[in-house]
Amino acid sequence: MARNEAGGHHGEEFINGTICDGVWHHLAVIIDPTTNVVTDSVRLYVDSVRQGVRRFNDAGVILTPHRFYIGSRGGTGLPFKGKIDDVRITEGALSTNEFLKARTAGKPVVAYYPFNTPETAFQDASGNGNHLTGSGMTFQGGFASFNGAGHTMNTINKLDLSAYKDATLEFFIRPHTNASSTAMVMELSENIMGKNGCFFVTLNETGPGVLNGSFYPGGWHIDVSQSNQVFAGWHHVALVIDSSLSGADRSRLFVDGMQAPQNPKHKAASDVNLGNQIFYIGSRANTSYRLNTDIGYNWITARVLSPGSCM
């Protein structure tokens, strides 16, 4: 139940159905006095879907300074039983595509590696069991550091994406000043050219600080997206695979929210599902193209995300 009280009057919304089902849900309460007071000044969303209105009056919305409580009413009544994460209060009414994206347990996120601590670094935080194995990296402050030598990291089992035709691979990268000339940042499959529905991102493939991202149906090289120079500091990278698009547009690379230029000579032959292969981070199949950078907050979503909805 979401309730707004102002001067002794209140408005309420109720959830359609139940969310007490043991999985994570995103909740948002929008307080917007610029809209229709009776129906829209307080809006409740569950997983970005507007919920039903129980009752509103015409008292209007007034926000006043008060202590903020989480998990109870005033610290004494209506105690909450469950888990709460990623709480955010924002000045201004957000649209649904601006809601938090960080909580990633459950679909459509199929794998999430926050690298928070050495003890949990190899665990898939999405809850889908796509855990990693590897050795050599150091973990601190939410990132894994690779030195361009013998560091290895990959999923223990195949990462099965064969049920999907769309995906978004996201991560943060901070290249080291002595990074090698060619490095495999991430790759689904150890033999990208011969594996249907697989993808990769490389660093410095065609020049210093250049990122390249590609997706292969049946071995066809359908896209090479080259970023501007990637210098020191953290950068957000997203490889978006979109089955609704054709040709080179089927896979697009975004760096810090900006789409990288594409190579128009590589075209998609046909639509194709994603692959069911080992997912490697930091090398090509743990044998070559060693990565010499820091990687943070890496996840794969079985959905096409826009720059505004990426992390």
Side-chain angles (χ1 to χ4, degrees):
M1 179 74 70
R3 172 176 294 184
N4 172 71
E5 299 188 1
H9 301 280
H10 63 265
E12 298 178 349
E13 294 198 359
F14 64 93
I15 293 175
N16 301 317
T18 179
I19 61 171
C20 297
D21 52 10
V23 300
W24 284 98
H25 295 276
H26 176 273
L27 273 70
V29 177
I30 305 297
I31 301 173
D32 187 359
T34 66
T35 59
N36 186 297
V37 172
V38 176
T39 60
D40 292 319
S41 58
V42 177
R43 304 188 296 274
L44 174 65
Y45 292 83
V46 177
D47 298 326
S48 297
V49 177
R50 174 77 187 272
Q51 302 300 293
V53 178
R54 185 182 298 275
R55 184 179 74 242
F56 276 96
N57 57 33
D58 58 359
V61 176
I62 302 173
L63 295 175
T64 56
H66 287 291
R67 189 182 302 275
F68 179 59
Y69 295 91
I70 299 175
S72 70
R73 178 155 209 173
T76 58
L78 300 177
F80 175 72
K81 184 178 181 180
K83 298 180 175 67
I84 297 175
D85 196 9
D86 296 310
V87 178
R88 178 176 68 169
I89 301 175
T90 304
E91 180 182 0
L94 301 182
S95 59
T96 55
N97 66 355
E98 296 175 305
F99 288 168
L100 279 173
K101 306 295 179 183
R103 165 45 59 188
T104 54
K107 296 179 179 179
V109 171
V110 295
Y112 175 39
Y113 309 111
F115 302 141
N116 286 330
T117 66
E119 293 75 20
T120 62
F122 294 106
Q123 299 299 303
D124 174 15
S126 75
N128 293 315
N130 295 308
H131 304 307
L132 299 167
T133 185
S135 63
M137 295 74 55
T138 57
F139 302 95
Q140 56 179 324
F143 66 87
S145 185
F146 297 78
N147 70 354
H151 295 175
T152 66
M153 185 181 288
N154 57 270
T155 52
I156 298 173
N157 302 308
K158 291 182 178 180
L159 180 61
D160 188 3
L161 302 177
S162 59
Y164 309 106
K165 292 186 177 181
D166 300 323
T168 302
L169 168 65
E170 287 186 86
F171 57 92
F172 290 90
I173 187 169
R174 180 171 62 179
H176 297 161
T177 56
N178 60 338
S180 59
S181 59
T182 302
M184 187 68 68
V185 180
M186 294 175 195
E187 179 183 28
L188 182 73
S189 137
E190 76 288 353
N191 181 14
I192 197 74
M193 292 295 290
K195 298 295 183 180
N196 191 50
C198 296
F199 52 82
F200 73 78
V201 176
T202 57
L203 174 66
N204 293 345
E205 176 101 346
T206 57
V210 174
L211 284 168
N212 298 262
S214 293
F215 167 61
Y216 287 79
W220 286 93
H221 189 182
I222 66 171
D223 176 53
V224 177
S225 295
Q226 300 174 8
S227 79
N228 293 325
Q229 299 293 321
V230 179
F231 295 107
W234 284 103
H235 298 275
H236 175 271
V237 178
L239 176 65
V240 181
I241 300 167
D242 187 349
S243 63
S244 70
L245 301 177
S246 60
D249 287 330
R250 191 157 305 204
S251 63
R252 292 167 293 154
L253 189 71
F254 294 84
V255 180
D256 298 327
M258 300 295 294
Q259 184 176 345
Q262 294 171 293
N263 189 334
K265 69 180 181 180
H266 298 293
K267 305 293 184 180
S270 62
D271 196 4
V272 66
N273 282 40
L274 295 168
N276 178 18
Q277 300 291 334
I278 296 292
F279 179 59
Y280 295 91
I281 302 176
S283 72
R284 166 154 274 184
N286 296 331
T287 60
S288 60
Y289 286 22
R290 301 289 187 176
L291 185 67
N292 191 355
T293 71
D294 300 327
I295 294 287
Y297 297 99
N298 169 39
W299 58 96
I300 300 172
T301 307
R303 180 178 296 172
V304 174
L305 300 182
S306 64
S309 57
C310 292
M311 179 61 183

